[in-house]
Amino acid sequence: MIDKYKALFEKTNNTERSSYIWNTIAGLIVSIQSAVMLILITRTNGLEDAGIFSIAFAISSLMLFIGEFGVKKYQVSDVDEKYSFCDYYTVRVITCAAMIVASFCYVGYGYLFGNYSLTKFAVLIIVCMTKVIDGYADVFYGRFQQIGRLDIAAKTSTFRVTLGTTACMISLVITHNLLISVIVWFFAILITMIASTMVVAPDYCEIKIKSSIKNIQGIIKACIPLFLGYFLLLYVGNAPKYAIDSFMNEVAQAQFNFIFMPVFVIGMLANFVFNPILVRLAEAWNSREYHFFNRIIFKQVAVIGVITLLAIVGGYLVGCWLIGWLYNTDLMSFRIEMCILLLGGGMLAFVNFFAVIITVIRCQRYLTWGYVFVAVIAKLFSGYFVETNGITGASVLYTGLMTLLSMVFAAELIICVKKRMK
């Protein structure tokens, strides 16, 4: 019986085709998860709860990068298996524990100093704990992809996210209580993770906390630039939301998140093309197949450019009308802001793409400087932009930061590749 159940995740006639299809499905579901939940919260509970959930999702996503610590991209591209899965697993347990501590410290600070009510504090903490489960499951996702079974990773992710989100939404419709619904979400995610990832994973790896101090230090040292980079990138990306949380109200927070939702579609579509060939790209770099390597880079840059242009045109013509209809809110006055944000979404796609390539060629230590530079600018100017220009200022701020960061990474990538080729 258990073998038949596991076959739902493991069995395939064509691994490569299955990986593309299921990676696309999983990426789509993960990308629209918060948008779908926000639509339902807005229609059932109103803009205030939608604003609370928006900032909860933003903070929990920031905490998730502590749990993931930037390890997965390094793990997936470790094609020679310099480190064992037990090494990666041990590091992940440590980083998830750190994520829990950081979440309580960050949210607790807001509660103790009167920025959050008790209910808002509880919602933020539960959503952060839900993301801890995602962070834990991510190490198995990396293992499946590392051994060429991206399809299994995508299937288990789809199973977990779909059922978990559905349970939360059903609870919200029945109770109209955001706190109860996110508690249901937490337990649903936990149960579905156990019923999918933890059932299949033992066939492909040994799940033990077993590693040497040297190997733990080696992984952490190699991934510190990735962690700092992705953590600061998310901080930079969410800087407008944090500023809105400080200088505006929950209604403005909800409105900004509504027009912000389409931004990630660009990166999601770009990842559909790129993610399945990540291992092959690492192999090409290691074997010095520079012609293939460079061709993939130029192709992906063109793909991101075309997707961004189409998204901006579509956003201007129907974006605000469609998003407004979905959220039952008039957003037509934010058409220009949405287009500005979509341009920023294209820049974010370039940032993520360049960061992955720099990681593949093992020059990730150079990423940190770019992230730190732009994060400092975000810290210095985010309050001014939002306080003086509201949602328009937040939109310009986001796109400006992403454009600057993409230019820095493009320069770093060119320098690193040319240095290796010489």
Side-chain angles (χ1 to χ4, degrees):
M1 189 62 153
I2 188 65
D3 290 336
K4 289 183 178 179
Y5 176 72
K6 289 196 292 186
L8 295 174
F9 301 104
E10 297 177 319
K11 188 176 179 180
T12 179
N13 295 323
N14 187 316
T15 302
E16 185 175 354
R17 182 177 62 189
S18 181
S19 293
Y20 269 98
I21 293 173
W22 280 102
N23 182 63
T24 301
I25 294 172
L28 179 63
I29 290 174
V30 170
S31 297
I32 68 173
Q33 178 192 26
S34 62
V36 171
M37 295 176 75
L38 200 55
I39 290 172
L40 191 64
I41 292 170
T42 304
R43 288 183 172 270
T44 57
N45 289 27
L47 288 176
E48 187 171 343
D49 273 2
I52 292 174
F53 179 78
S54 297
I55 195 63
F57 205 88
I59 292 172
S60 66
S61 297
L62 185 67
M63 295 297 108
L64 178 59
F65 277 94
I66 298 176
E68 293 180 342
F69 208 75
V71 170
K72 188 175 77 174
K73 288 292 190 294
Y74 186 87
Q75 178 186 2
V76 169
S77 57
D78 184 11
V79 291
D80 297 326
E81 297 201 33
K82 178 181 179 181
Y83 298 105
S84 70
F85 174 78
C86 287
D87 294 326
Y88 289 112
Y89 180 76
T90 303
V91 169
R92 183 55 54 92
V93 171
I94 294 171
T95 57
C96 282
M99 176 184 174
I100 294 173
V101 173
S103 297
F104 275 93
C105 289
Y106 187 98
V107 180
Y109 178 87
Y111 174 68
L112 289 175
F113 285 86
N115 297 326
Y116 301 146
S117 65
L118 181 59
T119 300
K120 187 173 181 179
F121 166 82
V123 170
L124 266 59
I125 284 295
I126 296 300
V127 174
C128 286
M129 294 306 101
T130 301
K131 290 292 184 179
V132 171
I133 298 171
D134 289 340
Y136 177 78
D138 183 70
V139 73
F140 300 102
Y141 196 118
R143 176 58 180 172
F144 294 142
Q145 187 175 0
Q146 183 187 27
I147 60 175
R149 293 305 306 268
L150 179 60
D151 58 316
I152 297 176
K155 287 177 184 177
T156 54
S157 178
T158 300
F159 180 80
R160 183 179 77 253
V161 174
T162 301
L163 294 187
T165 303
T166 301
C168 178
M169 291 193 296
I170 291 173
S171 173
L172 194 65
V173 170
I174 295 173
T175 67
H176 289 263
N177 187 299
L178 182 60
L179 178 57
I180 292 175
S181 298
V182 295
I183 292 173
V184 170
W185 186 26
F186 170 80
F187 283 106
I189 288 289
L190 177 61
I191 292 169
T192 51
M193 189 271 291
I194 294 172
S196 57
T197 303
M198 301 309 294
V199 170
V200 176
D203 290 345
Y204 302 92
C205 54
E206 183 182 15
I207 307 174
K208 280 187 178 181
I209 298 177
K210 183 178 68 174
S211 181
S212 66
I213 297 297
K214 179 182 178 181
N215 286 353
I216 292 174
Q217 290 176 337
I219 294 174
I220 291 177
K221 182 179 179 181
C223 294
I224 280 178
L226 299 175
F227 159 66
L228 290 176
Y230 288 126
F231 185 85
L232 291 173
L233 173 61
L234 196 62
Y235 168 76
V236 169
N238 284 328
K241 298 179 184 180
Y242 302 142
I244 290 172
D245 193 42
S246 298
F247 295 101
M248 302 179 76
N249 56 29
E250 266 82 17
V251 173
Q253 185 73 259
Q255 290 172 331
F256 180 77
N257 276 273
F258 294 161
I259 63 172
F260 191 81
M261 281 300 169
V263 166
F264 293 103
V265 173
I266 299 170
M268 177 189 70
L269 294 174
N271 283 336
F272 289 163
V273 178
F274 173 71
N275 200 41
I277 63 169
L278 179 58
V279 174
R280 177 68 185 95
L281 200 62
E283 292 172 345
W285 177 259
N286 292 338
S287 60
R288 299 179 182 271
E289 298 176 42
Y290 296 130
H291 179 71
F292 174 79
F293 184 86
N294 291 333
R295 181 160 54 88
I296 292 298
I297 291 177
F298 290 130
K299 179 181 178 181
Q300 188 71 3
V301 167
V303 167
I304 294 173
V306 171
I307 292 173
T308 302
L309 180 60
L310 293 175
I312 292 173
V313 173
Y316 183 80
L317 294 177
V318 299
C320 282
W321 172 82
L322 179 60
I323 299 296
W325 175 77
L326 288 173
Y327 289 104
N328 195 29
T329 305
D330 184 9
L331 298 173
M332 291 305 292
S333 60
F334 298 112
R335 257 200 327 187
I336 298 300
E337 286 82 356
M338 177 178 282
C339 290
I340 293 171
L341 287 171
L342 286 169
L343 176 60
M347 296 301 106
L348 174 62
F350 282 123
V351 167
N352 288 328
F353 174 64
F354 293 147
V356 169
I357 299 300
I358 291 172
T359 301
V360 166
I361 65 178
R362 293 298 186 255
C363 290
Q364 65 269 20
R365 62 188 181 277
Y366 298 116
L367 294 173
T368 306
W369 301 109
Y371 285 125
V372 170
F373 171 63
V374 178
V376 170
I377 292 177
K379 181 66 176 177
L380 292 175
F381 293 102
S382 58
Y384 170 78
F385 271 82
V386 172
E387 190 175 15
T388 57
N389 295 288
I391 292 177
T392 302
S395 304
V396 172
L397 173 70
Y398 177 83
T399 299
L401 293 172
M402 291 303 152
T403 301
L404 180 60
L405 193 55
S406 65
M407 292 171 63
V408 171
F409 284 177
E412 290 182 353
L413 177 60
I414 292 171
I415 290 171
C416 290
V417 170
K418 284 187 174 181
K419 183 178 179 181
R420 166 71 180 268
M421 292 179 68
K422 286 181 179 180

